Amino acid sequence: MSGFGIAAGHMPVNPLFPHARSRILRLPSDVVMACGDKDEERVKVMCVRGIRRWGPAAVALTLLAGFFQGIQASPAAAAGCWRATCSDKDPIQMGCDADAEILQQVTEADGSVAVRLMWSPDCQAVWAKVSRDLDTSPDYVYLTLWTTRDPDGGVEAYDTAGLLGTGVAGAYTPMRNWKSTTAKACWNDVNAQYDPEPMKYVIQDPTASGDKPVDLSLPALHGSCTDWM
């Protein structure tokens, strides 16, 4: 008989463990069982090198259960979107904030405004977030997420939370797919399309003996940004 067959007077043979030894199991007194017992009135028990289950079918199910334990739900099953499908979506509504991490945070020296570049590993998407002290922050606070265009790297149309209303201490932008773009989060007090740090780069100083790097970024005006990431 193929598979897990049972011949008269013999224990079933597991093809995965053909050399398994039969041995007596010590069970409670009210349950009488033995591996390899020929008494048809007794319950047959599969014994495979320490694996003890009720018959060959249960052994097979146990092996399958162990195999499927390693299979986990895809990220899309846990969150409402994945990469490109997250673009323009709300991170909270999509459940992407559940595992959100801060890629970088920039806080004003007086602590009045803090801007963050956020991302979700499950969603593979980024967004910008800002918080402010209502007593010390500027009257006008705009939040913008800048992203590079795929595939040429040009600056893409921005995503913004707009102007924070009176008494509003924080806001966040829609998301962008972080698989095919780099991004930075900015706040400013001019308008939603204003970039307070339009150029940020470093050169090597040719006059220095050590050829040390020199930051030639334009000074930040009317706000601040995280690095491009």
Side-chain angles (χ1 to χ4, degrees):
M1 180 179 295
S2 61
F4 289 104
I6 301 178
H10 292 81
M11 279 300 298
V13 176
N14 184 341
L16 298 177
F17 304 93
H19 303 296
R21 299 187 301 273
S22 293
R23 62 176 181 271
I24 300 298
L25 300 180
R26 298 187 180 277
L27 298 170
S29 58
D30 57 338
V31 180
V32 180
M33 303 177 191
C35 294
D37 198 326
K38 296 183 179 180
D39 186 351
E40 295 182 359
E41 298 299 322
R42 299 188 182 190
V43 180
K44 299 288 190 296
V45 178
M46 172 63 79
C47 299
V48 180
R49 294 183 182 177
I51 300 177
R52 293 173 290 182
R53 293 292 184 271
W54 296 87
V59 174
L61 290 175
T62 300
L63 294 173
L64 287 174
F67 173 78
F68 284 110
Q69 273 184 338
I71 300 178
Q72 299 178 351
S74 64
C81 63
W82 171 251
R83 291 182 177 172
T85 61
C86 291
S87 292
D88 300 318
K89 302 289 180 55
D90 185 304
I92 293 180
Q93 291 181 1
M94 293 293 102
C96 299
D97 63 320
D99 69 333
E101 299 176 8
I102 300 174
L103 290 175
Q104 190 177 49
Q105 174 175 316
V106 176
T107 305
E108 296 302 305
D110 61 359
S112 60
V113 183
V115 65
R116 304 173 186 86
L117 182 60
M118 311 293 297
W119 97 292
S120 163
D122 280 352
C123 297
Q124 295 283 294
V126 291
W127 65 96
K129 188 175 182 179
V130 70
S131 59
R132 65 171 174 168
D133 185 316
L134 294 175
D135 295 325
T136 61
S137 68
D139 293 334
Y140 301 101
V141 173
Y142 296 86
L143 173 65
T144 306
L145 174 70
W146 296 93
T147 51
T148 54
R149 187 170 54 243
D150 180 43
D152 61 9
V155 177
E156 193 176 57
Y158 60 88
D159 293 281
T160 180
L163 175 66
L164 273 65
T166 302
V168 177
Y172 58 90
T173 67
M175 296 182 288
R176 283 287 169 183
N177 173 17
W178 205 35
K179 175 66 175 178
S180 61
T181 187
T182 55
K184 70 174 181 176
C186 301
W187 82 270
N188 75 84
D189 60 3
V190 180
N191 59 57
Q193 300 180 44
Y194 179 79
D195 184 350
E197 295 183 4
M199 297 183 69
K200 191 174 182 68
Y201 60 96
V202 173
I203 67 167
Q204 301 298 317
D205 184 357
T207 64
S209 58
D211 198 28
K212 62 183 179 181
V214 177
D215 187 353
L216 288 186
S217 303
L218 296 178
L221 299 174
H222 302 284
S224 60
C225 298
T226 66
D227 293 332
W228 284 98
M229 303 185 77

